[in-house]
C-alpha cells in the first residue's frame, strides 16, 4: 500500500523536495483575503442577491453558450480527444487564493502529474470574485509548468462577475454577450440589477500578459462553454456548471 499524505511527505507527492521550495514560484506580493473584510463581502454580494431577488445565472449561461455556438463551438458541447486505452489525467478543485496554501501543493501536483494527458479544475478557479486580474497569480503562474491542457468548470466564485473572465480564459476569448434588457421598476429583478456586482471596464488589463505563462501549444485547450463533456479514449468526463446557487438549469439538464 502506498503512503498516505496524512503520514509522510512522500505520500503527498513531495518526494525529496525541499520544504518551502514552492516560495520560488510565488509572486513577490500576495494579497491576503479575509472574509471578515466588509469590502470583500460587498464585492461578493451576487450570491446573496441571487437568493433574495432571483437567480439570473441560467439566462446568462444560455446567452454565453449560444454565443459560443454561433462562434463555431460544437453543438453537442463534447470535446473529443484521442487517447490510448490506458491514460491518466489530473483532477483539482478549489485551488486557493493565490497565497502560500495554494502554491505549497504545486510541486507535489507537478510531480504526480508527469505524463498525464490533461487536468480538470473542478470549480472555483478564482477567489474571491473571479476577476480577470487575479488569473495571473491564481491560475497561470502556479500551473505554468504543467505541460498539458487544463479544462475547468466554474464555481459560484467564478460567477460573482457573471463568468466574464472564465469565458475569456477557457472558452476561446469569448466576448461578453449582449446584456439583458433592463428590468422595469419596481420589482425584485429591478432591485437586483441596481445592486448587482459587475466587473470594472479595465479588469482584464493584465490578462494578455498573464497568458504567456501558459502559452505553449501543448498547454492550450478551448471549451465549448462552462459545461461540457470530454470524450477521451474509453471514458467520458462530464463537467456541470451549477452557477451561483448550486442549481442545474433546464437547458443544461436537457443537454445532460
Amino acid at each position: 500500500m502506498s503512503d498516505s499524505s496524512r503520514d509522510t511527505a512522500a505520500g503527498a507527492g513531495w518526494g525529496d523536495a525541499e520544504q518551502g521550495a514552492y516560495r520560488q514560484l510565488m509572486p513577490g506580493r500576495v494579497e491576503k483575503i479575509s472574509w471578515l473584510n466588509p469590502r470583500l463581502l460587498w464585492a461578493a454580494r451576487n450570491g446573496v442577491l441571487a437568493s433574495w431577488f432571483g437567480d439570473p445565472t441560467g439566462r446568462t449561461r444560455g446567452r454565453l453558450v449560444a454565443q459560443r455556438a454561433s462562434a463555431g463551438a460544437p453543438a453537442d458541447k463534447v470535446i473529443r480527444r484521442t487517447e490510448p486505452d490506458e491514460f491518466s489525467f489530473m483532477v483539482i478543485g478549489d485551488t486557493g487564493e493565490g497565497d502560500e496554501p495554494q502554491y505549497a501543493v504545486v510541486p507535489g501536483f507537478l510531480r504526480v502529474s508527469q505524463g498525464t494527458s490533461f487536468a480538470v479544475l473542478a470549480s472555483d478557479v478564482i477567489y474571491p470574485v473571479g476577476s480577470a486580474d487575479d488569473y495571473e497569480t491564481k491560475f497561470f503562474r502556479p500551473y505554468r509548468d504543467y505541460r498539458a491542457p487544463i479544462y475547468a468548470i466554474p464555481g459560484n466564485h467564478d460567477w460573482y462577475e457573471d463568468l466574464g473572465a472564465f469565458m475569456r480564459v477557457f472558452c476561446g476569448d469569448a466576448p461578453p454577450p449582449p446584456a439583458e434588457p433592463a428590468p422595469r421598476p419596481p420589482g425584485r429583478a429591478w432591485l437586483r440589477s441596481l445592486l448587482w456586482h459587475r466587473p470594472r471596464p479595465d479588469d482584464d488589463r493584465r490578462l494578455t500578459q498573464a497568458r504567456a505563462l501558459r502559452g505553449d501549444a501543448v498547454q492550450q485547450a478551448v471549451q465549448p462553454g462552462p459545461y461540457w463533456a470530454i470524450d477521451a479514449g474509453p471514458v467520458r468526463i462530464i463537467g456541470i456548471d451549477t452557477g451561483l446557487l448550486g442549481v442545474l438549469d433546464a437547458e443544461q439538464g436537457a443537454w445532460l
Side-chain angles (χ1 to χ4, degrees):
M1 179 180 296
S2 61
D3 289 337
S4 166
S5 60
R6 298 179 180 180
D7 301 323
T8 68
W14 283 88
D16 296 327
E18 178 185 354
Q19 184 176 5
Y22 67 88
R23 293 176 184 270
Q24 302 170 12
L25 307 173
M26 296 180 65
R29 180 181 177 275
V30 175
E31 179 185 6
K32 293 292 184 181
I33 293 177
S34 171
W35 291 102
L36 300 177
N37 184 334
R39 181 178 62 84
L40 178 56
L41 292 175
W42 176 243
R45 63 190 178 271
N46 284 0
V48 175
L49 294 175
S51 64
W52 286 355
F53 301 120
D55 184 3
T57 298
R59 293 191 301 275
T60 302
R61 183 188 296 110
R63 298 200 309 276
L64 292 169
V65 169
Q67 185 181 58
R68 288 290 294 124
S70 66
D76 59 6
K77 302 171 186 61
V78 176
I79 302 163
R80 291 173 171 84
R81 296 184 55 90
T82 302
E83 302 289 350
D85 288 342
E86 293 187 6
F87 75 98
S88 57
F89 65 96
M90 299 295 291
V91 179
I92 52 178
D94 268 352
T95 44
E97 300 173 354
D99 54 4
E100 291 197 9
Q102 177 172 4
Y103 279 87
V105 298
V106 169
F109 166 79
L110 293 175
R111 177 177 176 273
V112 300
S113 67
Q114 292 181 20
T116 56
S117 296
F118 57 89
V120 173
L121 207 169
S123 88
D124 283 338
V125 180
I126 300 294
Y127 281 96
V129 296
S131 169
D133 275 351
D134 285 337
Y135 268 86
E136 192 272 334
T137 56
K138 301 174 184 179
F139 175 73
F140 288 107
R141 178 182 288 269
Y143 309 115
R144 64 188 300 178
D145 293 325
Y146 178 61
R147 304 290 298 167
I150 299 177
Y151 302 95
I153 55 173
N156 61 310
H157 289 266
D158 301 301
W159 270 102
Y160 285 159
E161 289 193 350
D162 286 341
L163 213 63
F166 179 98
M167 293 297 294
R168 289 199 62 190
V169 170
F170 293 104
C171 300
D173 211 13
E180 280 190 303
R184 295 181 178 180
R188 296 198 308 162
W190 176 72
L191 286 171
R192 183 188 65 223
S193 69
L194 290 180
L195 299 172
W196 199 252
H197 172 73
R198 295 177 176 85
R200 303 186 311 272
D202 64 341
D203 200 33
D204 61 353
R205 63 188 184 277
R206 287 164 35 195
L207 194 53
T208 299
Q209 180 179 356
R211 281 176 166 159
L213 295 171
R214 281 185 50 84
D216 290 350
V218 296
Q219 297 174 309
Q220 304 310 302
V222 178
Q223 301 177 188
Y227 63 94
W228 41 259
I230 299 175
D231 276 358
V235 66
R236 168 171 283 187
I237 304 157
I238 298 176
I240 295 294
D241 169 20
T242 57
L244 282 168
L245 302 181
V247 174
L248 182 69
D249 62 304
E251 181 179 317
Q252 198 172 180
W255 168 81
L256 181 61

